[in-house]
Amino acid sequence: MTRILIPSGALGLGYDKTALERGIAAKPDLIAIDGGSTDSGPSYLGRGVSKYSRASTKIEWAGLIDAAQRAGCPLVIGTAGTCGADSAVDWLVGITEEILRERGATLRVAILKSGQTEIKAAALAPLHPAPEIDDALLADCTNIVALAGAEQIQAALDTGADIVIAGRTTDTAIIAALPLQRGCHPGGAWHGAKIGECGALCATNPQSGVILVDFDAEGFTVTPLADGAHATPHTVSAHMLYENSDPFILYEPGGHLDVTGAHYDALDDRRVRVTGSQWVPGRYSVKLEGARRVGYQSVLLTLLRDRRYVENAPAWCDDILTKCRAKAEARLGTDAFEIELRIIGRDATLGALENRANGAVELGVMGIVTAQTPELVDEIGKMLNPYLLHHPLTPEEEQPTFAFPFSPAEIERGEIYEFCLNHVLPLEHPMDAFRLEVREIG
Amino acid sequence: MAELGSIVEKVRSKNAGPFWLTIDIFCGSAQAFARVRDGVSTDRVAGLFQTEASELKRFDIPSLNVVKFSLPRPQVQGTRADRDMHGASYAALIAELEVN
C-alpha cells in the first residue's frame, strides 16, 4: 500500500491545518501538491511567473516542508510557480532556500526542469484543435514547456530527495509516480491521482482541501480529512467530469487511463474505494504548452448612465470605432492595430453567442486597444479617450460627458501573450526532454 | 416547458485545457436526467455555440444523472478575442434552454 497526502488543489490556495495534522499522523509515504495549471491564461507561461502571492506561497510551502519532515516522507510539487517554466521553478527554489536558511536546516532538493528551447515543428504531432505552427513561431515563444509524467518524477524521487520541485508536469504525475514505482495497480494509480489532484474537490466540503489516497494492488481508496468532508461514490466518480473533455479517458505520457469499467464503493460515510480502472500503454509522448508575445494592450472603461445612450449603445460604439480608426490610421500612418469596444451589461461576456436582450440601467463600455508596440497602443488609447468621454449620438446635440471611473482612463496591460501549442512530442526516453539537478539546500 | 436551469441541480462550464470547453449538466434525478437527455439535442447545443454538431462530444451518464458536452473553445483561451478566461459563463447558455 502506498499512501499519498494531498494538502489542496494548488499551492497558494491555502489548506486546512487541522486536517493536515491528521494527514501527518496517518504516516503518508509522500506529500504531493500541484503548483499550477493553464487555467489562468497564457500570460503566466508567457512571462514565466506565478499567479500567486510570494508571501502566501512561502508561508504555505514552509508549512508543507515542515509537514513532510515530521511525516518523514518526501514532498513533491508539480508545475511549480503556476506555469512550470524554468524561471518559475527557480522562483520556488529561491523561496525554498530562504525557508531552509531561516530554519537552519539542510535538505536534498531535486529540481526537474521542463522548459524546451530546441523544439522543431517537424518533431511535433498536432492534437485537435491545433494552431498552425512552424519553426519561426516556435522561436517566437517566450516559454515552451513539456508536461512530465510519472517517469520523470520517479527519476527525481530516485535521487533520495527530501523535496522535489518540478516544472510543468501533468496534474496527476506527482501523485501517481510513487504508487506506480512500488507496483500498485497502474489503472488505480492514474485514476486515484486524477481524483486526488484537486484535493477535496472530489468530496463534499470541497474547499477543505486535504485528502489521503491509499493505492494498492487492485485500486485506491479516497479519504478526505477535514471536518465535515465526505467522499461518496457520487462525488468521487463525478470528479472525472471536472475540466476533462472526456470523463472516461485521460491521456498521460506513455498511454491512457480508461475508467469505463471502474466501480465506486462506499467503505463508510466518509471513504470511497475504487477498482476496475484500466491503464492502456501506448507510445511515449509528452504534451507541450507554449506561449508567445502577440503585442501590447491598453484597456479603457467608460460608463453610460444617460438613458438615451444606454438604449443606443451599439450604434454609439460603431460610430466611435469608425471615426477613431480613421483618425488613428490618418495620423499614425498605419493600420496595424485593433480597437474593440465591448458593452458590459449587454453582451461583453458571450459576444456573438449572447441570445438575450435586457433593459439595463447603465452600461460599461470597455475599449481594448492592441498593437505591436507600447508607443502605438499609448497613442491610440489617447485618441480613443475623448470619444469615450464626449462622443455625441447626433452632431446637433450638446456635447455629452460620460463617467470615467479613473484618471487616466487608459489602463496599460503591457505585453500580451497567446497559447500557441496543442501538440505532443514523441520521446525515445522519458528523460530526453527534461533536466534533473540535485542540490543540498540550506 | 421549463428553463433547463430550473429543473437541474447545476450547470457548470469549465476549460478542459486552453483549447477545449466542457459543460456538465448535473440533473440531480433520473427524471430530470431523462428530460435533459431527451430534450437537449446535440444539434441544439451546437446551434447555441454557432458550430457543427460533429464538433461536439456528448456523454449521457445515467449513473451520475449527468449530461456532458465538450467542444473546441469558441475562442482559444486568452486570445485577444476571448472574453471569458475560465469559460465558466457559457453555462448560462445551456441553463437558459427551454426543455419539455
Side-chain angles (χ1 to χ4, degrees):
Chain A
M1 200 265 281
T2 300
R3 172 167 281 182
I4 310 289
L5 174 63
I6 302 149
S8 79
L11 186 71
L13 286 179
Y15 44 79
D16 180 323
K17 284 183 183 164
T18 311
L20 187 69
E21 282 301 318
R22 286 178 196 142
I24 296 167
K27 301 194 186 316
D29 296 295
L30 187 143
I31 300 177
I33 189 152
D34 190 16
S37 83
T38 55
D39 217 29
S40 299
S43 179
Y44 302 99
L45 180 61
R47 291 179 294 144
V49 300
S50 166
K51 74 172 273 198
Y52 291 113
S53 125
R54 190 182 193 279
S56 291
T57 301
K58 184 178 172 185
I59 288 168
E60 292 181 24
W61 187 233
L64 295 184
I65 291 173
D66 291 343
Q69 287 303 293
R70 288 172 50 215
C73 74
L75 170 66
V76 180
I77 184 165
T79 313
T82 303
C83 61
D86 293 356
S87 54
V89 172
D90 290 337
W91 176 78
L92 190 63
V93 170
I95 292 173
T96 310
E97 285 169 346
E98 211 171 276
I99 293 166
L100 293 178
R101 228 178 10 247
E102 287 164 13
R103 296 276 191 286
T106 301
L107 294 177
R108 174 174 286 204
V109 181
I111 301 159
L112 179 75
K113 289 201 169 160
S114 308
Q116 308 297 313
T117 51
E118 300 191 354
I119 294 280
K120 296 292 177 207
L124 307 186
L127 302 171
H128 176 71
E132 288 293 318
I133 58 164
D134 55 29
D135 289 342
L137 180 141
L138 293 175
D140 224 23
C141 288
T142 50
N143 279 303
I144 297 174
V145 289
L147 279 72
E151 294 79 4
Q152 297 83 357
I153 298 297
Q154 289 163 356
L157 290 171
D158 282 344
T159 65
D162 302 298
I163 300 173
V164 175
I165 300 177
R168 191 65 171 120
T169 65
T170 69
D171 295 345
T172 41
I174 53 170
I175 303 169
L178 188 63
L180 287 168
Q181 197 169 31
R182 290 187 172 179
C184 296
H185 189 273
W190 286 110
H191 192 184
K194 172 61 194 172
I195 296 303
E197 54 116 346
C198 289
L201 222 52
C202 64
T204 62
N205 192 6
Q207 297 212 329
S208 61
V210 191
I211 63 163
L212 271 182
V213 186
D214 291 337
F215 298 89
D216 57 49
E218 276 122 38
F220 66 95
T221 301
V222 185
T223 310
L225 295 177
D227 288 333
H230 303 270
T232 69
H234 182 91
T235 64
V236 172
S237 59
H239 189 67
M240 284 302 292
L241 300 164
Y242 190 72
E243 294 180 348
N244 250 2
S245 62
D246 186 320
F248 300 108
I249 305 290
L250 185 70
Y251 285 90
E252 293 285 344
H256 71 267
L257 168 70
D258 184 342
V259 306
T260 315
H263 301 286
Y264 301 83
D265 297 305
L267 291 185
D268 49 38
D269 67 354
R270 174 181 189 84
R271 298 178 301 152
V272 171
R273 173 152 182 79
V274 183
T275 52
S277 337
Q278 289 304 312
W279 171 251
V280 183
R283 186 172 182 192
Y284 202 91
S285 56
V286 288
K287 196 176 167 193
L288 298 181
E289 290 164 356
R292 67 187 186 101
R293 293 189 181 101
V294 288
Y296 291 80
Q297 200 167 72
S298 278
V299 169
L300 298 87
L301 186 63
T302 194
L303 301 169
L304 310 182
R305 181 59 180 79
D306 179 296
R307 186 175 302 170
R308 199 167 132 261
Y309 281 82
V310 168
E311 286 168 359
N312 293 285
W316 183 76
C317 288
D318 287 346
D319 198 38
I320 289 175
L321 284 175
T322 305
K323 291 192 163 82
C324 186
R325 175 159 268 285
K327 179 184 281 184
E329 285 182 14
R331 295 184 174 177
L332 297 167
T334 176
D335 62 359
F337 60 83
E338 300 293 337
I339 307 172
E340 191 185 357
L341 297 178
R342 293 185 191 168
I343 304 176
I344 298 170
R346 188 171 183 277
D347 60 0
T349 314
L350 294 173
L353 302 184
E354 184 54 72
N355 55 27
R356 285 185 66 179
N358 70 10
V361 170
E362 62 172 7
L363 293 172
V365 175
M366 177 166 61
I368 305 172
V369 178
T370 313
Q372 286 305 310
T373 67
E375 294 77 17
L376 196 52
V377 169
D378 182 55
E379 282 286 288
I380 297 165
K382 285 173 175 162
M383 288 185 196
L384 180 58
N385 176 316
Y387 287 104
L388 294 181
L389 184 61
H390 285 313
H391 188 62
L393 270 170
T394 57
E396 300 77 29
E397 66 194 84
E398 193 182 326
Q399 174 174 283
T401 301
F402 307 104
F404 272 2
F406 313 115
S407 168
E410 304 90 40
I411 305 160
E412 286 180 28
R413 293 197 57 239
E415 250 181 323
I416 60 165
Y417 298 82
E418 284 184 1
F419 288 122
C420 56
L421 287 176
N422 191 25
H423 294 73
V424 294
L425 172 68
L427 295 178
E428 290 275 321
H429 184 275
M431 286 306 289
D432 283 352
F434 301 89
R435 295 165 319 284
L436 183 60
E437 178 198 348
V438 182
R439 288 169 53 189
E440 306 290 332
I441 293 182
Chain B
M1 297 288 275
E3 199 170 69
L4 185 145
S6 71
I7 65 161
V8 304
E9 262 178 12
K10 183 167 76 169
V11 183
R12 173 177 77 188
S13 66
K14 296 282 291 182
N15 298 333
F19 296 88
W20 281 79
L21 182 72
T22 192
I23 302 154
D24 300 321
I25 308 171
F26 294 89
C27 301
S29 70
Q31 188 196 10
F33 172 72
R35 283 176 79 181
V36 172
R37 182 194 58 205
D38 300 339
V40 180
S41 69
T42 308
D43 278 335
R44 260 180 104 188
V45 176
L48 287 176
F49 286 92
Q50 299 176 11
T51 186
E52 303 298 319
S54 59
E55 283 288 313
L56 270 66
K57 297 187 202 174
R58 176 186 183 129
F59 304 91
D60 294 328
I61 311 170
S63 61
L64 290 172
N65 291 320
V66 163
V67 177
K68 181 181 181 79
F69 293 95
S70 297
L71 67 155
R73 244 174 158 280
Q75 309 290 345
V76 173
Q77 184 202 4
T79 50
R80 194 175 58 77
D82 184 30
R83 293 160 175 265
D84 181 0
M85 195 61 59
H86 297 78
S89 299
Y90 293 104
L93 285 174
I94 304 292
E96 288 166 8
L97 277 175
E98 291 285 328
V99 290
N100 280 317

